[in-house]
């Protein structure tokens, strides 16, 4: 299997597209829908924005006083907006495969939107912030209810503790041994792309195991 950091040309990401080249090439044979989920403020919008080859669709609104006491801003200094419907982006991994990325709002009050966004999705990238790891527990519970395969991307913020190992995080989040866990800086296009490649590989492997022999 090709690793997330591999230079295999089958997973070579395309360059960012100029305005005149925003349509998919005729070589694309498969389009895959993926969700990007996570608790409030973990970097979902940032990841989709960093990796998308088209101008991402965002539904961000300025946070008002009404969110005080509802949206926990601890550890999120400077955050002034929140996604209220979804984020959307696209990345072509190779000439035959394109990913459509749908980012979900993180707050519990928006979870009803997940039902529609999850329809037709083949996998989920779960973003977590180790500074607020407990915020991810309910998100993971929601995924277990839906039965979608997922990979976990640990987003590194400037003040993120770096002493946690993958096994530490796997234990803390109560993940299965086969669930991929990758480190990621959502601001970096390559890191975001590699996290998505890890998810695609895992989804492909899971689907292969489920095919009757």
């Amino acid at each position: 299997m090709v690793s997330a950091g591999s230079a295999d040309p089958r997973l070579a990401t395309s360059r960012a597209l100029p305005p005149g080249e925003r349509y998919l090439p005729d070589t694309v044979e498969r389009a895959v829908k993926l969700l990007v989920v996570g608790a409030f403020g973990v970097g979902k919008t940032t990841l989709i924005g960093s990796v998308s080859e088209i101008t991402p669709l965002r539904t961000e609104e300025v946070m008002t006083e009404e969110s005080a006491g509802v949206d926990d801003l601890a550890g999120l200094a400077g955050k002034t907006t929140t996604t209220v419907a979804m984020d959307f982006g696209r990345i072509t991994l190779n000439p035959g495969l394109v990913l459509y990325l749908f980012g979900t709002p993180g707050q519990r009050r928006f979870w009803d939107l997940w039902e529609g966004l999850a329809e037709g999705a083949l996998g989920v990238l779960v973003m977590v912030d180790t500074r607020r790891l407990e915020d991810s527990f309910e998100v993971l519970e929601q995924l277990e209810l839906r039965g979608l395969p997922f990979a976990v991307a640990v987003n590194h913020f400037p003040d993120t503790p770096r002493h946690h190992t993958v096994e530490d995080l796997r234990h803390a989040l109560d993940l299965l041994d086969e669930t991929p866990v990758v480190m990621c800086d959502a601001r970096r296009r390559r890191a975001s792309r590699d996290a998505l490649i890890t998810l695609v590989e895992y989804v492909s492997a899971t689907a292969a195991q489920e095919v009757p022999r």
Side-chain angles (χ1 to χ4, degrees):
M1 180 177 294
V2 181
S3 67
S6 171
D8 190 305
R10 292 174 298 168
L11 295 178
T13 183
S14 67
R15 58 185 171 83
L17 300 181
E21 299 181 24
R22 290 178 180 167
Y23 296 101
L24 290 177
D26 294 336
T27 57
V28 171
E29 298 176 348
R30 189 179 185 194
V32 173
K33 178 181 180 180
L34 300 176
L35 295 187
V36 180
V37 308
F40 175 62
V42 296
K44 302 179 294 293
T45 298
T46 299
L47 181 139
I48 291 176
S50 73
V51 81
S52 180
E53 64 196 12
I54 59 174
T55 301
L57 169 66
R58 292 172 173 165
T59 57
E60 286 194 301
E61 295 290 342
V62 175
M63 299 176 66
T64 66
E65 292 182 359
E66 293 182 0
S67 67
V70 177
D71 296 330
D72 185 4
L73 292 174
L76 300 174
K79 184 171 180 58
T80 59
T81 62
T82 183
T83 299
V84 296
M86 70 173 187
D87 296 311
F88 173 78
R90 187 188 83 197
I91 177 173
T92 304
L93 285 188
N94 62 45
L97 175 63
V98 64
L99 306 181
Y100 290 109
L101 309 175
F102 290 78
T104 65
Q107 298 96 313
R108 177 194 289 269
R109 65 182 182 276
F110 295 125
W111 282 358
D112 286 345
L113 295 172
W114 285 31
E115 294 297 335
L117 292 176
E119 185 174 352
L122 295 187
V124 184
L125 186 68
V126 184
M127 300 191 66
V128 303
D129 177 358
T130 58
R131 303 172 304 171
R132 300 177 295 120
L133 203 60
E134 65 280 0
D135 293 349
S136 300
F137 297 158
E138 289 185 335
V139 172
L140 292 170
E141 288 177 1
Q142 289 295 309
L143 289 181
E144 290 175 357
L145 293 174
R146 288 163 174 79
L148 290 170
F150 64 89
V152 173
V154 181
N155 191 16
H156 282 168
F157 292 83
D159 59 342
T160 295
R162 302 301 174 99
H163 59 272
H164 300 297
T165 68
V166 168
E167 289 309 311
D168 289 339
L169 295 171
R170 188 183 302 279
H171 178 73
L173 294 171
D174 195 23
L175 300 176
L176 297 175
D177 291 342
E178 61 266 27
T179 302
V181 179
V182 298
M183 303 300 172
C184 177
D185 183 338
R187 301 168 299 177
R188 310 293 184 185
R189 187 171 193 269
R190 183 178 180 85
S192 298
R193 179 208 63 182
D194 287 351
L196 291 168
I197 289 174
T198 298
L199 172 60
V200 170
E201 291 179 336
Y202 179 59
V203 169
S204 298
T206 302
Q209 292 172 0
E210 294 175 351
V211 174
R213 297 185 183 276

